[in-house]
Amino acid sequence: MTPQNLMLLPLSTPKLSIGCPILDHCLGGGIACNSITELVGESGSGKTQLCLQLTVRAQLPPSHGGLGGSSIYIFTEFSFPFRRLQQLGNLYHASYPNLLRLEPLEDIYVHGVHHAQELIHVLGDIEAFIAIDHTRLPVKLIVIDSIAALFRSQYQTTPADLKRRSEMFFNISGTLKGLANKYGLAVVVTNQVVDFIGPHHGVNGVRLGNLESLDTSGRRVSPALGLAWAHCINSRVFLARHEQSIEVDIRNAPSTSICSQTHRTFHLVFAPHLAYASAEFVIKKEGIVGVSQ
């Protein structure tokens, strides 16, 4: 392996397109395979919307930005949004009638998990499921939405529990990275945020990634699960949202009305070989779309 060959390695990694050139550009082409990408943000920031979008797009051939594969979607809280996924599947089938089957949901395998130890068992089952290779399309994407929910109440803040929690992090991430590298998968996990109080130069004095602090809805926040989990992922994307009050003129009304408008921003916090990038985006019927500035 020569230095020249090493420089070419990042370019040879297959990537799953989000379906938007603006957001794909932030990621150097899309969600990278053979690694773990984290989407972190508050509730309503667009994490689940993006995950659903990726599961449908993964079925497209590489020539159209997909991976030509099926997806496994592990959800850990609330009920799974089947109706929204069906809507996206119908829209994408209408756009790519010759590339997607009539029922794209048949190539998306959904499973609920409620605690971390259960996830470990499920990941073992997933490896057997992939190895048997009885799916119509090979599995090329694993989504976990969300990883933080599995640890919210199961572990206390005692040193012993924190140690066990960190060991569980490395167990889960090691298994996911093993699957990603062995089968050429893209792995996407979502994470929540917690309020952050402290210095502006990072978490506990440690700056991790391109942003000194994360801000959403007028709050300073940090990704849940701390530094131990941050070292388990390869890339981190922060989805921020901000509400802005605007005056709207209403026809035949004596005065203007105040309305709230949501602005969403896609931030690449860190990723191998990529510099910081950001873009505004909106959530439309057809999915998440970047906004030109």
Side-chain angles (χ1 to χ4, degrees):
M1 180 68 70
T2 66
Q4 290 79 8
N5 289 337
L6 286 172
M7 292 179 66
L8 292 175
L9 282 177
L11 300 178
S12 64
T13 302
K15 294 192 174 181
L16 171 57
S17 169
I18 292 175
C20 169
I22 296 172
L23 300 182
D24 281 341
H25 178 73
C26 293
L27 294 170
I31 303 292
C33 292
N34 309 324
S35 65
I36 301 175
T37 299
E38 179 196 74
L39 306 177
V40 60
E42 66 173 308
S43 177
S45 61
K47 303 186 299 295
T48 297
Q49 290 286 331
L50 182 50
C51 288
L52 296 175
Q53 187 170 328
L54 291 172
T55 61
V56 180
R57 290 199 58 83
Q59 299 173 37
L60 293 171
S63 59
H64 286 70
L67 299 174
S70 58
S71 304
I72 296 175
Y73 198 116
I74 299 172
F75 68 97
T76 63
E77 53 184 347
F78 310 119
S79 57
F80 184 80
F82 280 107
R83 182 175 298 179
R84 176 56 175 153
L85 182 57
Q86 181 71 66
Q87 182 185 41
L88 285 171
N90 292 339
L91 289 168
Y92 269 88
H93 179 263
S95 299
Y96 304 95
N98 298 322
L99 299 177
L100 289 179
R101 65 191 303 176
L102 183 60
E103 291 292 341
L105 272 64
E106 292 182 6
D107 289 310
I108 301 171
Y109 304 91
V110 179
H111 189 84
V113 167
H114 303 292
H115 56 81
Q117 194 60 52
E118 184 182 1
L119 177 60
I120 294 293
H121 293 306
V122 168
L123 291 178
D125 294 338
I126 286 175
E127 180 161 19
F129 180 76
I130 296 174
I132 292 172
D133 195 26
H134 61 226
T135 57
R136 189 184 73 89
L137 296 174
V139 175
K140 286 296 180 182
L141 172 66
I142 295 176
V143 173
I144 300 177
D145 182 19
S146 77
I147 191 69
L150 299 175
F151 295 91
R152 190 156 43 203
S153 59
Q154 188 174 352
Y155 295 90
Q156 304 300 317
T157 57
T158 64
D161 262 13
L162 291 175
K163 181 175 182 293
R164 282 193 292 269
R165 192 180 75 157
S166 294
E167 290 172 349
M168 190 68 74
F169 289 166
F170 290 116
N171 192 347
I172 291 170
S173 64
T175 302
L176 288 171
K177 288 177 181 177
L179 290 171
N181 287 312
K182 185 174 181 179
Y183 298 103
L185 312 177
V187 176
V188 175
V189 301
T190 68
N191 194 5
Q192 300 163 356
V193 296
V194 294
D195 289 319
F196 175 68
I197 301 174
H200 283 271
H201 54 284
V203 180
N204 296 330
V206 178
R207 175 171 172 174
L208 191 64
N210 298 299
L211 299 178
E212 291 189 353
S213 63
L214 308 181
D215 298 279
T216 184
S217 295
R219 303 152 47 208
R220 287 187 66 208
V221 298
S222 63
L225 306 183
L227 289 173
W229 172 252
H231 290 295
C232 293
I233 58 178
N234 302 102
S235 305
R236 170 171 281 166
V237 173
F238 173 54
L239 304 180
R241 57 174 288 173
H242 299 280
E243 301 293 334
Q244 181 181 15
S245 297
I246 58 173
E247 291 187 353
V248 178
D249 290 319
I250 301 177
R251 184 178 298 178
N252 300 325
S255 60
T256 59
S257 177
I258 304 297
C259 295
S260 180
Q261 189 176 53
T262 302
H263 291 270
R264 292 181 168 86
T265 311
F266 182 105
H267 297 276
L268 179 67
V269 181
F270 61 80
H273 316 290
L274 294 176
Y276 169 72
S278 68
E280 288 195 10
F281 69 92
V282 294
I283 300 177
K284 297 185 175 181
K285 182 174 66 174
E286 61 270 25
I288 286 181
V289 180
V291 178
S292 300
Q293 297 184 9

